[in-house]
């Protein structure tokens, strides 16, 4: 089966990791996969501006929101690139990463009568509406809502990362459960493992964005003065966090953006992995990869009871789940992990969990079933003709 895999990623954090694991699963299932990453596409942009609709938009530019115009123009560019690839590859299936890409590609899939699978591992509308660090523009919010609806309407299969996310699409959009396939995030077994030492070295390694609530990690450092704190990652809140560290004289070592091929070595030199979070729809439907990377390296996890990943941590006794994402509660959890027998039990439980259940190879097994479903449909159509 020929699969055109359409993605829009850059960097090396969550989205890029999941894309690489999905690609591997598609290949393992026997698919002939062609990847188009719109962030790396060098399609001449001048072609976009020869389109009549762009000229029309320019005429009303003065009365339109420019940012919204740019979103629509970007979507058109992506559609032009995808159209060219579809004609060249003649795929049997479009596989899109994120609802933004899925929503843009839905009309194209319908026009070419190609089934569409969209891997939705974040709700763009919620991410935009809940961000306190930006001004919410109603036109933008309407645009993202329309894209979400278009994704739902145009995708034959929606891949989610958690049961709460699946429930969201059932309750908010009336999606039939047969169209939903849950593939959570995970990690790979790690050859390097953490060891118990005091003072505890505590790390946050991930995106520096609002929904991660990294401020709570900084607040913890201000209280837990006998432990050492490390921050790794990048994102639009980097300057805000660095400013807090400097002006409040917070004991924190910023490691910068650590390459993916080294981050597990960094984690293995720590003793605790922290996963703070905001309490909103954005996070309650999410599945942060960092939690499972921590566990793979033997780090007990401290995280609030906001998402399904916290249930995993609690059920398998591989960390401490707090009631809130709060510096004082995180501090109290850290004090519990100074108990060496408890730390070693939770560390071993996390490593075992990744090896036996929460690893990418096992979690992505449904990819083969999805391909089989569309392969059978293709055969049936061929026989019918």
């Amino acid at each position: 089966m020929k699969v055109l895999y359409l993605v829009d990623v850059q960097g090396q954090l969550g989205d890029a990791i999941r894309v690489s694991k999905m690609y591997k699963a598609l290949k393992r299932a026997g698919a002939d996969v062609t990847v188009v990453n719109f962030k790396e596409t060098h399609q001449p942009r001048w072609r976009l501006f020869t389109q009549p609709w762009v000229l029309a938009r320019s005429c009303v530019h003065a009365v339109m929101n420019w940012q919204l115009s740019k979103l629509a123009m970007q979507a058109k560019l992506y559609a032009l690139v995808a159209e060219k690839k579809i004609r060249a590859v003649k795929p049997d299936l479009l596989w899109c990463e994120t609802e933004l890409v899925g929503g843009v590609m839905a009309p194209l899939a319908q026009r070419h009568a190609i089934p569409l699978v969209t891997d939705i591992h974040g709700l763009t509308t919620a991410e935009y509406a809940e961000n306190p660090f930006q001004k919410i523009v109603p036109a933008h919010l309407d645009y993202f809502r329309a894209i979400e609806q278009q994704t739902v309407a145009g995708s034959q299969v929606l891949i989610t990362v958690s049961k709460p996310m699946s429930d969201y699409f059932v309750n908010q959009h009336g999606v039939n459960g047969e169209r939903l396939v849950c593939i959570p995030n995970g990690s790979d077994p790690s050859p390097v493992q953490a060891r118990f030492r005091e003072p505890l070295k505590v790390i946050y390694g991930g995106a520096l964005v609002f929904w991660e609530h990294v401020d709570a990690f900084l607040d913890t450092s201000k209280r837990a003065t006998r432990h050492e704190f490390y921050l790794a990652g990048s994102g639009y809140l980097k300057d805000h966090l660095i400013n807090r560290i400097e002006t409040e004289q917070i004991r924190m070592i910023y490691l910068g953006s650590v390459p993916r091929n080294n981050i597990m070595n960094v984690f293995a030199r720590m003793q605790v992995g922290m996963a703070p979070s905001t309490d909103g729809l954005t996070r309650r439907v999410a599945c942060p990869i960092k939690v499972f990377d921590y566990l793979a390296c033997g780090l007990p996890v401290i995280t609030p009871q906001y998402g399904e990943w916290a249930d995993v941590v609690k059920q398998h006794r591989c960390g401490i789940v707090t009631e809130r994402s709060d510096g004082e509660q995180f501090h109290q959890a850290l004090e519990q992990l100074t108990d060496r027998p408890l730390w070693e039990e939770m560390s071993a439980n996390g490593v075992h969990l990744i090896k036996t259940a929460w690893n990418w190879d096992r979690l992505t097994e449904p990819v083969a079933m999805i391909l089989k479903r569309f392969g059978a449909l293709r055969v049936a159509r061929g026989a019918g003709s």
Side-chain angles (χ1 to χ4, degrees), residues 22 29 63 82 84 93 102 137 152 161 183 197 208 222-223 228 249 262 272-273 302 306 314 350 370:
M22 285 293 193
V63 295
K84 182 178 180 180
L93 180 67
V137 179
V152 170
V161 295
I183 301 180
R197 294 185 181 87
L208 307 182
K222 293 174 69 173
R223 290 167 170 79
E228 298 176 9
Q249 298 184 330
N262 194 41
V272 179
I302 296 176
Y306 291 165
K314 182 184 291 185
I370 295 172

Side-chain angles (χ1 to χ4, degrees), residues 110-126:
Q110 183 177 17
R111 185 161 66 249
H112 288 273
I114 304 172
L116 173 65
V117 174
T118 304
D119 183 10
I120 303 178
H121 37 99
L123 299 179
T124 305
T125 302

Side-chain angles (χ1 to χ4, degrees), residues 64-69 71 128 136-146:
M64 287 185 62
N65 181 281
W66 170 236
Q67 292 298 324
L68 183 58
S69 239
L71 286 171
Y128 181 77
I136 306 301
V137 179
H140 291 189
L141 193 56
D142 290 343
Y143 177 84
F144 293 132
R145 285 172 177 159

Side-chain angles (χ1 to χ4, degrees), residues 194 200-205 217 230 267 270-276 290-291 293-295 297-303 313 318-320 330 334 337 343:
L200 299 177
K201 292 183 178 180
V202 188
I203 191 166
Y204 170 87
F217 180 64
Y230 296 80
F267 288 165
M270 304 291 154
Q271 280 73 54
V272 179
M274 193 165 285
K290 74 177 71 59
V291 168
D293 282 346
Y294 292 157
L295 297 178
C297 293
L299 297 184
V301 172
I302 296 176
T303 194
V313 170
C318 46
I320 297 175
F330 290 162
L334 275 175
L337 290 174
W343 186 96

